[in-house]
């Protein structure tokens, strides 16, 4: 059973508009969430993270929102640029659960295409 | 050279072959990981090493054998694999096991393995 779900395999957005990528999780022990970005033929790269003590974290054009009651997080990219076209992975961990707390559980990813 | 380097980038092997995947990190990190990404599945953690000691074996079949001679190098020895083992194998490293903002995962570009 998937504990981290990215229900949209793909998303297309016009350049300059907002991209919203969604992620749902089922494990209530998860308390730290990360987004990774992956270009073809490259490994994933860390983008932004959020702890469960916050509901928002912003870094430049990227903002992650966390709704703990809904077990939902989203990544907003504003404004979207063609270079943002990549696969975005949501990941979660129960960072204070002791043994195995470093294990990241990943979603399947959402492929974002930003159209010029 | 910086970052996490994996060789080879592509590997085709028969079911009776023995081969090894190599990973080297130049980031001074203490933890190294092997992940597997199969088609249409999330990234799956296989093995974790911290200060050269294996801390996690995520129920991986014995036909996959990791080796970590030092904190900078990680190998994955492959023996009598099955076609369903065909996947992208990603190596990653982190400063420590906390996986927080000051210690995110840094991934290599992966080895695309095909078992025939």
């Amino acid at each position: 059973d998937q504990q981290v779900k990215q229900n949209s395999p793909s998303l297309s957005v016009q350049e300059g508009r907002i991209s919203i990528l969604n992620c749902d999780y089922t494990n209530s022990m998860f308390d730290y969430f990360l987004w990774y970005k992956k270009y073809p033929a490259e490994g994933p790269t860390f983008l932004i993270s959020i702890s469960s003590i916050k509901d928002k974290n912003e870094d430049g054009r990227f903002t992650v929102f966390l709704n703990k009651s809904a077990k939902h997080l989203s990544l907003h990219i504003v404004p979207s640029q063609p270079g943002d076209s990549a696969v975005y992975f949501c990941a979660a961990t129960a960072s204070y659960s002791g043994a195995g707390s470093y294990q990241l559980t990943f979603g399947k990813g959402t492929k974002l295409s930003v159209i010029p | 050279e910086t970052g996490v380097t994996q060789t080879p980038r592509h590997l085709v092997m028969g079911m009776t072959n023995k081969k090894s995947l190599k990973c080297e990190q130049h980031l001074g990190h203490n933890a190294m990981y092997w992940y597997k990404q199969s088609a249409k599945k999330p990234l799956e953690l296989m093995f974790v090493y911290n200060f050269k000691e294996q801390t996690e074996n995520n129920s991986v079949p014995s036909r996959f054998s990791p080796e970590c001679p030092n904190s900078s190098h990680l190998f994955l020895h492959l023996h009598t694999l099955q076609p369903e083992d065909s996947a992208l194998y990603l190596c990653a490293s982190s400063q420590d096991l906390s996986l927080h903002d000051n210690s995110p995962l840094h991934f290599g570009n992966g080895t695309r393995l095909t078992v025939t």
Side-chain angles (χ1 to χ4, degrees), chain B:
Chain B
E1 195 169 353
T2 59
V4 180
T5 305
Q6 287 187 246
T7 55
R9 291 299 306 275
H10 301 273
L11 178 63
V12 179
M13 60 185 289
M15 289 190 283
T16 58
N17 291 158
K18 288 184 184 180
K19 296 284 184 184
S20 296
L21 309 185
K22 179 183 175 183
C23 176
E24 184 174 0
Q25 57 97 0
H26 306 270
L27 299 167
H29 289 167
N30 298 312
M32 296 188 77
Y33 310 74
W34 280 115
Y35 276 86
K36 174 184 178 182
Q37 187 178 25
S38 304
K40 310 221 169 145
K41 286 190 176 181
L43 280 160
E44 300 171 63
L45 179 64
M46 299 175 73
F47 301 103
V48 182
Y49 279 81
N50 191 34
F51 289 99
K52 303 187 301 175
E53 299 297 322
Q54 186 177 124
T55 59
E56 189 73 34
N57 175 339
N58 241 10
S59 303
V60 181
S62 59
R63 58 186 184 270
F64 295 91
S65 173
E67 179 190 359
C68 188
N70 54 62
S71 293
S72 299
H73 293 86
L74 186 64
F75 296 90
L76 188 62
H77 303 299
L78 314 172
H79 178 50
T80 61
L81 295 193
Q82 305 297 313
E84 58 265 29
D85 295 322
S86 299
L88 179 67
Y89 289 85
L90 287 159
C91 174
S93 69
S94 62
Q95 183 61 49
D96 53 47
L97 296 180
S98 67
L99 294 183
H100 275 227
D101 283 4
N102 60 346
S103 180
L105 279 177
H106 292 254
F107 284 90
N109 289 336
T111 295
R112 174 70 62 184
L113 174 68
T114 303
V115 181
T116 60

Side-chain angles (χ1 to χ4, degrees), chain A residues 28-45:
Chain A
S28 57
M29 297 294 291
F30 288 151
D31 60 358
Y32 189 67
F33 306 88
L34 307 92
W35 285 93
Y36 278 81
K37 173 180 176 180
K38 184 181 184 302
Y39 291 117
E42 294 184 13
T45 55

